[in-house]
Amino acid sequence: MTYPEPRYLGDTGEITATYLPHGAPPDITYANGGTCTYLATGATTGGKFGLYRWDMGAKPSGPAPHFHRSLTESFFILTGTVRIYNGKEWITTVPGDFVHVPEGGVHGFRNESGEPASLLLIFSPGAPREGYFEGIAEWAASGREDQEFFVRHDTFWVDEK
C-alpha cells in the first residue's frame, strides 16, 4: 500500500479547516427522539468519506439487516450499548468498540438497552447519505414503505441468517 497521488500541489498549505463546536444542534431530529449530526459529508470531503454522529434515545430503534453495494460503513461506539448485526448474529458493542463493514457486508444496528446510546457512522466513499437520513424521517412519519427510495440510496434489506 502506498500513498495516493497528491491532490494539493501548493507549497504553503491553505486555511480550509471546518469546525463544528460541541453543543451545535443536530441536523435531523427523528420522531422517536433520535438525532443525526452531519460532521463531515461527502460534499465537504470531496467524496472521500462521510462522518455522522447518530444519537439514539432510550426507545428501541435502528435499521434491520441490510447491505450496500457501493459503500463501506463503520461504527465507533461513543456512549451506551449498541447491538450490531455482523451478518451472522447480533453482537453487543460498548464505548470504544469499532465495527467495519465492507461493501456487500450484511449489517444492522439498534439500541435495545432502554438507555440512550451514541455512535459515529463512517461511510466511504462519501455518498450523499444526508438525503437518505432525511428521507427515512419522512418515510417513518408517513408509514409508507418506498422500495425505490432504498434502492436509490444503495440500501438493500435482507432477512437475518
Side-chain angles (χ1 to χ4, degrees):
M1 181 96 196
T2 61
Y3 281 93
E5 288 296 315
R7 294 179 61 165
Y8 174 75
L9 301 175
D11 293 326
T12 61
E14 297 179 359
I15 300 170
T16 55
T18 58
Y19 170 66
L20 181 66
H22 176 74
D27 291 282
I28 303 172
T29 300
Y30 294 95
N32 67 5
T35 64
C36 182
T37 303
Y38 304 163
L39 301 174
T41 66
T44 62
T45 66
K48 293 178 191 70
F49 70 94
L51 176 63
Y52 306 87
R53 181 180 175 122
W54 197 267
D55 293 311
M56 296 180 278
K59 294 180 182 177
S61 64
H66 61 282
F67 68 91
H68 309 291
R69 291 187 169 139
S70 64
L71 303 169
T72 68
E73 186 171 357
S74 299
F75 306 86
F76 183 79
I77 309 308
L78 298 171
T79 64
T81 302
V82 179
R83 305 267 295 153
I84 296 182
Y85 191 68
N86 66 7
K88 184 169 68 171
E89 63 186 342
W90 288 94
I91 60 174
T92 300
T93 62
V94 297
D97 286 351
F98 177 78
V99 176
H100 173 74
V101 182
E103 298 95 334
V106 176
H107 63 286
F109 66 96
R110 59 188 179 203
N111 180 9
E112 301 173 334
S113 69
E115 300 291 327
S118 296
L119 60 126
L120 295 177
L121 292 172
I122 305 146
F123 294 94
S124 179
R129 295 306 281 172
E130 306 80 39
Y132 176 75
F133 296 143
E134 293 162 12
I136 59 172
E138 295 170 16
W139 170 73
S142 73
R144 291 181 301 120
E145 198 166 319
D146 181 357
Q147 194 60 32
E148 172 61 29
F149 168 82
F150 294 109
V151 170
R152 191 169 57 251
H153 290 283
D154 190 21
T155 301
F156 301 88
W157 303 104
V158 298
D159 293 325
E160 292 181 32
K161 300 192 190 287

